[in-house]
Every structure is written in C-alpha cells, then in structure tokens.
C-alpha cells in the first residue's frame, strides 16, 4: 500500500558575526581582545584603533540587513566609536559583508558601547554585542600620605603608623595635630575641588578640626600640598570620622579614608 508524501525545505537566512575570524555571538556582553570586541588601550591625544568585522550568511536564503546605517552604535560611550565602513545588503546564502569601527577615546578610562544590526534573521534581529576600549594618556594621579606612608583611598582601618589613628588624647584640654600630604604622581595638574577642599564627616566629625586646608592645583610629576587635622575629643572613648577630598583623579574621586582617636577622661 503506497502513499506519496511531499515536503518543501524551508529557505531561511542565518546571520553570524566574526571578529578576528572568531564568532561574536549575538547578545555577547563580555568584550574580548581575541575577537576584537575589546579595542585595547588607546591614547586620548588623537590615537585611534580600527577593527573590521564580518557578517556571514550561513543560511539558504538572502540575508537582508535593515536600516541606514545598517550597523548602529549605542550605549554609554557611543560617541567614542565610529562606523567608518558600513555593511552592504543583501548578503546571499553563503556570502559575507564587512564593516569597520574606529575607537577614538574622548577621555581616559573604560569606554563602552553596543553594536546593533537589524535583519530578516528570524531569531537574531537585532544582532547585538558589546564593545569596549580604554582611553589612556596624561592624567592626574592622587596619593595621600601620613607620616610619609601612603594611605589608600577607601582605607577604613586607621593606623598609628600613618597617623590616621591619633591615639589617646585627654578630654580636658588635650589635642593632637597631624599633617597629611597630597601628592600628584600623574603627568598633568591635579585639581582639588570644594571649599573647604578637605571635608570631615562621620559619627564624631566635630571632634576633628581641619586646622590647615590643602591648596590647589597640585603640579604634576610629584607636586605636593599639605593639610592639618587636629583631634580634640569632646568625650571619652573611641571617636571616629571620615576624611573626604574631591578631585579630578578619574578613579579616586572623592579620595576618602577613615581617622580615629580615643578620648581619655582626666
């Protein structure tokens, strides 16, 4: 008993993007130097890096890419990435087209964006992936020292060695003053912000007085300015506060650290 059956094979487009001959999967949010989605370190003073990406059609029908431009760039730092050569459409089955993106950082630090490509691929439209690069070049670099010892920004453990722990001080008229140094080890001027520049906060801020403020700007290549804090406890026991210094160091603003002292009853 014979029955004739008939079917038609579907013809569909299938999009895939490659960078440096490696697949960049749609939805990828982890840029990598291996597939050129991480553009690396680029000097902010006019240097650029250009990467080429390939769109392949591994399907059995034409892949139609949509939009003008076809490849769009969005995200936090989209302006730092430029589509220098757009893709072309349609892409025949088994064919490919390329596009190039140039990274020209406008500022130091990590710069991030997202690539988006609309098409008639049934399950990957838009085809998206993240890209990033780092701007490098001249920048200020702030360091604070107490007793000649560096106090890392964010330090929450006061220590007598770097004079962030003022020790025992008599409540009845006693006080201790320590001098701290702000040093700029960067290659451009460090600007300290605010008035006063050095501010004190925390549970017992009133027990710590800014007796001499820092000066701004701080010259590059090891320039320094100093400030003084006086501990004058109003009560017995542990007294704690936080030092905060606003500045234009890109990764240490504000520069903060904890200080403490112990009030001793007469």
């Amino acid at each position: 008993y014979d029955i004739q059956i008939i079917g038609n094979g579907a013809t569909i487009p299938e999009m895939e993007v490659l960078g440096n001959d490696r697949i960049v999967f749609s939805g990828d949010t982890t840029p990598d130097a291996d597939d050129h989605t991480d553009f690396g370190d680029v000097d902010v003073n006019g240097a650029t890096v250009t990467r080429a990406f390939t769109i392949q059609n591994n399907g059995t029908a034409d892949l139609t890419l949509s939009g003008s431009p076809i490849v769009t760039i969005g995200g936090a730092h989209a302006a730092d990435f430029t589509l220098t050569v757009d893709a072309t459409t349609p892409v025949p089955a088994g064919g490919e087209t390329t596009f190039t993106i140039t990274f020209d950082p406008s500022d130091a630090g990590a710069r991030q964006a997202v690539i988006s490509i609309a098409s008639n691929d049934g399950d990957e439209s838009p085809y998206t992936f993240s890209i990033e690069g780092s701007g490098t070049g001249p920048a200020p670099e702030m360091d604070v020292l107490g007793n000649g010892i560096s106090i890392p920004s964010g330090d929450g453990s006061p220590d007598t060695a770097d004079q962030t722990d003022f020790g025992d001080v008599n409540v009845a008229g006693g006080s201790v003053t320590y001098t701290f140094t702000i040093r700029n080890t960067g290659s451009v001027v460090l600007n300290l912000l605010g008035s006063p520049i050095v501010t004190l906060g925390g549970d017992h801020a009133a027990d710590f007085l800014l007796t001499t403020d820092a000066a701004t700007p701080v010259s590059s290549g090891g320039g320094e300015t100093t400030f003084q804090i006086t501990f004058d406890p109003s009560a017995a026991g542990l007294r704690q506060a936080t030092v905060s210094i606003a500045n234009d160091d890109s990764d240490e603003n504000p520069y903060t650290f904890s200080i403490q002292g112990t009030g001793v009853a007469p």
Side-chain angles (χ1 to χ4, degrees):
Y1 190 99
D2 296 325
I3 299 175
Q4 184 179 17
I5 56 175
I6 299 174
N8 292 313
T11 56
I12 58 171
E14 182 57 40
M15 179 174 170
E16 190 168 74
V17 176
L18 295 90
N20 196 31
D21 292 325
R22 296 174 183 268
I23 298 173
V24 183
F25 294 100
S26 183
D28 185 6
T29 59
T30 54
D32 192 315
D34 288 344
D35 60 14
H36 282 175
T37 52
D38 186 337
F39 286 66
D41 295 340
V42 179
D43 196 300
V44 297
N45 293 318
T48 62
V49 169
T50 298
R51 301 289 194 212
F53 296 89
T54 300
I55 299 173
Q56 290 185 341
N57 179 10
N58 297 322
T60 54
D62 284 355
L63 173 68
T64 302
L65 307 176
S66 310
S68 181
I70 290 169
V71 179
T72 61
I73 304 172
H77 308 116
D80 288 6
F81 297 87
T82 303
L83 177 67
T84 42
V85 176
D86 203 2
T88 59
T89 188
V91 183
E96 61 183 37
T97 182
T98 61
F99 63 93
T100 61
I101 294 174
T102 298
F103 175 46
D104 182 7
S106 61
D107 201 358
R111 317 298 288 173
Q112 299 170 322
V114 177
I115 301 297
S116 182
I117 308 167
S119 72
N120 64 337
D121 183 320
D123 60 354
E124 291 176 317
S125 181
Y127 197 111
T128 64
F129 57 91
S130 298
I131 56 175
E132 72 177 12
S134 294
T136 62
E141 184 58 41
M142 180 172 170
D143 190 23
V144 177
L145 299 91
N147 197 32
I149 300 172
S150 179
I151 305 167
S153 182
D155 185 8
S157 303
D159 194 318
T160 55
D162 60 14
Q163 294 184 339
T164 51
D165 187 336
F166 287 67
D168 295 344
V169 177
N170 200 311
V171 173
S175 67
V176 170
T177 299
Y178 284 146
T179 299
F180 298 89
T181 300
I182 298 173
R183 180 178 294 165
N184 177 16
T185 60
S187 54
V188 297
V189 165
L190 170 69
N191 294 297
L192 306 176
L193 312 174
S195 181
I197 290 169
V198 180
T199 60
L200 300 171
D203 293 341
H204 309 116
D207 287 6
F208 296 87
L209 308 175
L210 177 66
T211 44
T212 302
D213 202 2
T216 188
V218 184
S219 59
S220 60
E224 296 180 347
T225 182
T226 61
F227 62 94
Q228 291 183 323
I229 295 175
T230 297
F231 175 48
D232 184 6
S234 61
L238 185 64
R239 317 298 287 172
Q240 298 173 310
T242 301
V243 176
S244 182
I245 309 168
N247 63 85
D248 63 354
D249 183 325
S250 62
D251 61 352
E252 292 177 315
N253 179 34
Y255 199 111
T256 63
F257 57 92
S258 298
I259 55 176
Q260 70 181 30
T262 302
V264 179

